[in-house]
Amino acid sequence: MQEFKRSAILVAKVLKTSDAQVAVLEAAGLNGVCTDQQLTVLKAFGDTTAYLKAENFIFDLSELLPDDVGVIVKAAAHRALASNKRVTLSELNFGGVYAVQIAISPFITDDADRQLLVLFTTNKKKTKDRSVIKQTGVEQLTRQHLASLELELTEAKDNLEVAYEAINSSNDNIKSFNEELQSANEEMHSANEELQSVNEELQTVNRQQQQTNTELTESNDDLNNYFRSNTNGQLFVDHDLILKRYSPGAVKHINLRESDIGRPLAHITTNIKLETLIADIQNVMLNEQTITREAESSDGKIYQVMTMPYVRQNTNNTDGAIISFHDITELKKLLAALDISNKGLTDSIAAIKLSREQVSQSLEKEKQLNALKSRFVSMASHEFKTPLTAIQLSAELIGKIAVDMDHPIVKKYTETIKNAAKNLTNILNDFLSLELLETGRINPILSEFDLVKFAADITEDMQYLAKREQQISYIHSGRGRLVTLNPSLLKNCIINLISNAIKYSGPDSRIEFSTQITGNNLTIIIRDNGIGIPKEDQKHLFEAFFRAHNTGNIPGTGLGLNIVTRYTALMNGKIKFKSQVNKGTTFRITFPVKPL
């Protein structure tokens, strides 16, 4: 009997801490069930087949026990819950040889739910008769159960009477509250009329606000379009010298990032070397006068930096400054070359003077026509070709004269003029190609040609332009060699990609060029082991005027890959690339073709 009590206490403690320890209880040799307050079985442990009926889908403990035992257990469970103490039923007969002992213990779970722990133990003492329990015991439990139920009914009745009195009192309060509510409703009605009048006024104000918002949106769109069309770099700082906005051209020219917005301009590192910039901005805001200076970037480019006040229209007060960066590197080089030529070549003074005037005029036109890029590109591309041709012809003539006169300095200067004119011509050709693409004036005419001979000729030509010990290899694979594309556009694409490979790879490097025809596709691959493209720059690589941050002072306009991409698209092709910094870059162009 004492061992049975200790087991019941141990099981109750275990169930309070964790239901997962049922396995521990079974290992201890204990048999029983855990139920809720209505005697619904929640879990069973040990071997209960000797005590419970084998009934499926029945979880009521009183129905799982023999009928007369079920009545006794139900009454004992009620007493255990009421007293919050363990109740033990001894010498119960379940129809076997030995008597059965049942202990019912109430406990509270971790979730604050009251449950019952019911343990079954078989007494090794044999039963004296076949009856379950003496009649006097049943009657006593029944009387106690009925007395407990009568007590609960009495308490419930008393609670109902108290609740009824509280309801009557609440009705009086509700009646008084209704009268106050009616009075408040009348005041609310009056206030609602006033609110309706105010609402009409607010609607009028709202319409005016919407009109203002629409105008502000349109103004903001105009400003965004202006910034997007401006190829030069422009910054806007407020009166505290905080960067508020910049044009897309500023990313190319001075190496800004979107994260720089909201930072003090003095804390932003750019590649423009202008120590007086902060002082210039402060003077502009103070004196409301524009300041123009020239500055050099870390990659050797020369910029004209113009700082002017930002004036609020509504107050006519200066509330910041606008800083514009104009790349005049090529113009400065050309002017310097022309100045040097003037000193030793008296026969070319007229032509060089004319070129300088045209360049100066072009610079002034560039300042005035930033918002009209397409028109500027078209004009500049055509207007510059004539003087550049004249400069090149003059330089060649002067070079021949210098050879005859055995004048090495003059020859050196003429070579400088020719190289500068050639670089400027290439830049203008890129701008002209871009302008033709943007205006839709390129309509590629497809023709059939021998791809292998075409690619081999390009390889031979580009090898002459390669750096010292650079090797360009070409290989073709696949069945067939005839394709139908636009040879001019395709040649431009291949030359541009191989030129980049030469430019961004060192001496003694190898450039691999291959073509492959498989099925209905032509694949062109150009691979180098040059400086590579930083990962953060790769998403902008095909944008116009964009150059990677690691290009340094290597010359370029940032237009080549944009033109290649658009030429490829005109021939229904696709271009992809893979690159790693200091490991190289691979470009892959794919065209749909019909091999023969």
Side-chain angles (χ1 to χ4, degrees):
M1 184 65 179
Q2 290 298 114
E3 182 63 27
F4 184 76
K5 290 181 179 180
R6 285 195 298 271
S7 298
I9 294 173
L10 173 62
V11 173
K13 289 183 177 179
V14 169
L15 289 175
K16 274 188 177 182
T17 57
S18 172
D19 291 343
Q21 298 194 22
V22 169
V24 176
L25 302 177
E26 292 178 344
L30 300 177
N31 305 315
V33 296
C34 182
T35 72
D36 60 11
Q37 298 182 55
Q38 287 74 37
L39 290 182
T40 300
V41 177
L42 302 178
K43 60 175 67 69
F45 50 89
D47 183 7
T48 59
T49 56
Y51 312 105
L52 303 180
K53 300 176 182 178
E55 297 288 346
N56 292 329
F57 308 108
I58 295 179
F59 299 97
D60 190 337
L61 182 61
S62 61
E63 295 184 15
L64 293 172
L65 293 168
D67 296 337
D68 44 3
V69 175
V71 174
I72 299 171
V73 169
K74 194 169 186 179
H78 188 274
R79 188 203 303 175
L81 289 170
S83 64
N84 200 29
K85 294 181 179 179
R86 183 174 65 257
V87 175
T88 303
L89 301 175
S90 303
E91 298 185 4
L92 298 178
N93 193 325
F94 275 61
V97 178
Y98 299 103
V100 176
Q101 188 170 323
I102 299 177
I104 305 174
S105 302
F107 67 94
I108 299 177
T109 66
D110 292 338
D111 297 330
D113 294 333
R114 295 191 70 193
Q115 295 183 2
L116 291 171
L117 176 67
V118 182
L119 291 178
F120 301 102
T121 305
T122 300
N123 197 334
K124 298 303 181 179
K125 180 174 66 174
K126 295 184 179 180
T127 56
K128 297 178 180 180
D129 51 50
R130 302 299 294 174
S131 63
V132 176
I133 194 171
K134 294 181 179 180
Q135 186 65 27
T136 56
V138 175
E139 291 176 355
Q140 183 181 1
L141 283 173
T142 303
R143 282 195 300 272
Q144 290 176 353
H145 185 42
L146 290 175
S148 176
L149 292 175
E150 289 176 357
L151 180 60
E152 291 179 3
L153 288 173
T154 302
E155 291 177 355
K157 181 178 179 182
D158 293 340
N159 292 334
L160 286 173
E161 290 177 354
V162 172
Y164 181 74
E165 293 176 358
I167 290 172
N168 287 335
S169 176
S170 297
N171 287 336
D172 294 337
N173 293 335
I174 290 172
K175 183 177 180 181
S176 175
F177 176 73
N178 285 337
E179 294 175 354
E180 295 177 359
L181 188 61
Q182 185 175 0
S183 174
N185 189 39
E186 294 174 357
E187 295 177 359
M188 183 71 72
H189 182 71
S190 176
N192 188 43
E193 293 178 351
E194 295 178 2
L195 285 174
Q196 187 174 359
S197 176
V198 172
N199 187 44
E200 293 175 355
E201 296 177 1
L202 286 176
Q203 288 178 352
T204 302
V205 173
N206 187 44
R207 284 193 294 270
Q208 296 174 352
Q209 185 67 33
Q210 289 178 349
Q211 175 92 20
T212 303
N213 289 340
T214 301
E215 294 175 357
L216 287 174
T217 301
E218 292 177 354
S219 298
N220 192 50
D221 289 342
D222 294 340
L223 184 60
N224 287 333
N225 287 325
Y226 166 74
F227 269 111
R228 190 170 62 253
S229 64
N230 189 3
T231 58
N232 293 316
Q234 280 191 325
L235 310 181
F236 164 53
V237 297
D238 62 12
H239 58 278
D240 294 323
L241 302 186
I242 301 298
L243 179 62
K244 305 299 290 185
R245 200 163 191 171
Y246 60 83
S247 68
V251 177
K252 178 187 71 171
H253 292 301
I254 58 177
N255 199 23
L256 283 179
R257 299 180 184 274
E258 188 174 353
S259 59
D260 291 329
I261 292 180
R263 296 178 57 195
L265 187 61
H267 296 173
I268 299 175
T269 302
T270 68
N271 55 6
I272 301 295
K273 302 174 183 178
L274 183 57
E275 297 178 354
T276 62
L277 179 60
I278 302 300
D280 288 345
I281 296 173
Q282 293 172 341
N283 289 334
V284 164
M285 291 191 293
L286 181 63
N287 301 321
E288 298 183 353
Q289 293 182 351
T290 300
I291 297 177
T292 302
R293 298 185 188 276
E294 288 186 4
E296 185 178 354
S297 66
S298 58
D299 56 3
K301 293 184 178 181
I302 300 174
Y303 289 86
Q304 184 184 68
V305 183
M306 180 183 296
T307 307
M308 60 186 300
Y310 181 86
V311 181
R312 293 289 181 186
Q313 187 176 1
N314 56 347
T315 62
N316 202 30
N317 293 330
T318 300
D319 190 26
I322 299 174
I323 306 98
S324 301
F325 299 86
H326 303 271
D327 186 356
I328 59 173
T329 305
E330 296 300 329
L331 294 175
K332 294 291 287 186
K333 289 181 179 179
L334 182 59
L335 289 173
L338 291 173
D339 287 339
I340 294 173
S341 299
N342 281 336
K343 294 178 182 179
L345 304 173
T346 56
D347 294 339
S348 303
I349 292 177
I352 294 176
K353 184 177 179 180
L354 178 62
S355 299
R356 291 183 60 186
E357 291 175 356
Q358 290 176 338
V359 170
S360 299
Q361 291 173 2
S362 298
L363 177 60
E364 293 299 322
K365 290 179 182 179
E366 181 187 14
K367 296 177 183 177
Q368 299 171 4
L369 300 177
N370 283 332
L372 304 174
K373 183 179 66 175
S374 297
R375 180 180 173 186
F376 168 77
V377 170
S378 179
M379 180 277 298
S381 298
H382 292 89
E383 290 295 327
F384 279 166
K385 279 190 174 180
T386 300
L388 283 173
T389 302
I391 292 172
Q392 287 179 318
L393 290 174
S394 299
E396 289 178 1
L397 291 174
I398 295 169
K400 291 180 180 180
I401 295 173
V403 171
D404 295 337
M405 297 175 61
D406 193 19
H407 203 311
I409 296 178
V410 175
K411 182 180 179 181
K412 175 183 177 182
Y413 289 153
T414 56
E415 289 297 325
T416 302
I417 294 172
K418 288 193 290 183
N419 289 335
K422 182 178 179 181
N423 289 336
L424 189 55
T425 300
N426 291 336
I427 293 173
L428 291 176
N429 287 336
D430 284 346
F431 275 99
L432 182 58
S433 297
L434 182 63
E435 193 270 339
L436 292 175
L437 284 168
E438 291 182 347
T439 56
R441 286 188 282 168
I442 294 182
N443 185 20
I445 299 176
L446 307 183
S447 62
E448 185 181 81
F449 58 92
D450 188 330
L451 174 66
V452 177
K453 183 179 183 305
F454 174 82
D457 291 343
I458 293 176
T459 303
E460 182 178 356
D461 293 340
M462 296 305 294
Q463 185 64 57
Y464 289 111
L465 302 178
K467 296 177 183 178
R468 178 176 56 84
E469 301 300 328
Q470 275 187 339
Q471 292 295 324
I472 304 175
S473 63
Y474 168 68
I475 187 173
H476 174 76
S477 61
R479 300 180 61 184
R481 51 194 290 162
L482 298 179
V483 295
T484 303
L485 291 169
N486 185 286
S488 178
L489 297 185
L490 182 61
K491 183 175 182 179
N492 186 291
C493 293
I494 296 174
I495 289 177
N496 204 308
L497 293 176
I498 295 179
S499 296
N500 283 347
I502 294 172
K503 188 189 312 181
Y504 298 114
S505 298
D508 303 322
S509 60
R510 180 179 178 85
I511 299 170
E512 299 177 5
F513 170 33
S514 65
T515 56
Q516 182 181 21
I517 297 177
T518 56
N520 293 328
N521 289 323
L522 161 63
T523 302
I524 299 173
I525 299 175
I526 297 172
R527 179 181 294 109
D528 64 61
N529 54 2
I531 63 175
I533 304 164
K535 187 175 182 179
E536 63 272 16
D537 291 338
Q538 293 183 10
K539 61 182 178 181
H540 302 293
L541 191 62
F542 295 120
E543 297 177 3
F545 304 106
F546 178 80
R547 302 195 72 205
H549 288 80
N550 63 339
T551 55
N553 58 0
I554 300 175
T557 62
L559 290 175
L561 288 178
N562 179 265
I563 294 172
V564 170
T565 303
R566 299 172 77 165
Y567 279 175
T568 301
L570 286 175
M571 294 183 287
N572 297 321
K574 296 181 180 179
I575 182 169
K576 296 180 180 180
F577 73 95
K578 292 182 179 180
S579 181
Q580 284 185 289
V581 174
N582 297 324
K583 291 187 177 181
T585 304
T586 300
F587 281 91
R588 181 187 298 268
I589 306 179
T590 305
F591 296 101
V593 295
K594 295 182 179 179
L596 299 177

